[in-house]
Each structure stands twice: as C-alpha cells, then as structure tokens.
Amino acid sequence: RGLRKAIPDQKWEEALELSYLSGQLWQEKKNPEKAYLAWEEAVSILKKLYQNINQPHLRQAYLQGKSKSDLLAEFKKMASLLAG
C-alpha cells in the first residue's frame, strides 16, 4: 500500500509490474503470505488502471495481456490456497 502512495500517476504500470514480480519472487521463496500481499497490491493497481479506461473493448483488451491475466490467475489461486 505504501508503494501506491510513493509513485506518481504516470508510473502505475511500472508499479504494477514491480508488485507482480515481487509476488512471483515470494512464491519462489515458498512464502505464500508475502506473495499474496504483493499480488494484492498489484491487483489493486490493476483495478485503478482498468477503471481509467473508458472504452469497453479497450478495457477487455487490457486485461487480456499475458502478465495481467497471469497475475489475476495466480492471485486467485493463492487466495484459494491461503483460505484453505
């Protein structure tokens, strides 16, 4: 959450990528809680970016990018795993 406050608006895509990669790193280090928190941050940023897209077909195309669809899939999988 602190990351979102520290980054200017034009850097949201970079913040998204950084949070996503941080989650992947924590997952590789076998720390699911920290991976989840990093991906939660990334999903929050993704939601902000998505909401700023006005045209429906562009919104859909934005979410279909590989890294974004991977993020959403991994976040859902990790949430399910942690929920037990």
Side-chain angles (χ1 to χ4, degrees):
R1 299 188 201 306
L3 180 63
R4 284 186 287 161
K5 292 178 183 175
I7 296 184
D9 284 345
Q10 69 268 23
K11 300 293 184 178
W12 285 106
E13 284 288 342
E14 289 88 352
L16 172 61
E17 188 70 19
L18 182 61
S19 293
Y20 174 58
L21 293 174
S22 178
Q24 286 185 316
L25 178 64
W26 285 117
Q27 184 183 31
E28 288 177 17
K29 292 185 175 240
K30 309 286 189 234
N31 191 325
E33 291 84 7
K34 287 190 178 184
Y36 176 84
L37 291 174
W39 286 335
E40 182 179 48
E41 177 78 19
V43 168
S44 178
I45 294 168
L46 179 63
K47 182 178 177 182
K48 175 185 172 51
L49 292 168
Y50 176 82
Q51 290 173 336
N52 288 334
I53 301 171
N54 295 324
Q55 298 176 345
H57 70 282
L58 294 178
R59 279 181 150 198
Q60 191 61 32
Y62 181 73
L63 289 180
Q64 290 176 347
K66 178 153 174 46
S67 65
K68 290 159 184 83
S69 59
D70 287 351
L71 164 64
L72 294 172
E74 293 194 41
F75 180 70
K76 287 176 186 175
K77 184 168 67 173
M78 187 62 68
S80 177
L81 176 74
L82 291 175

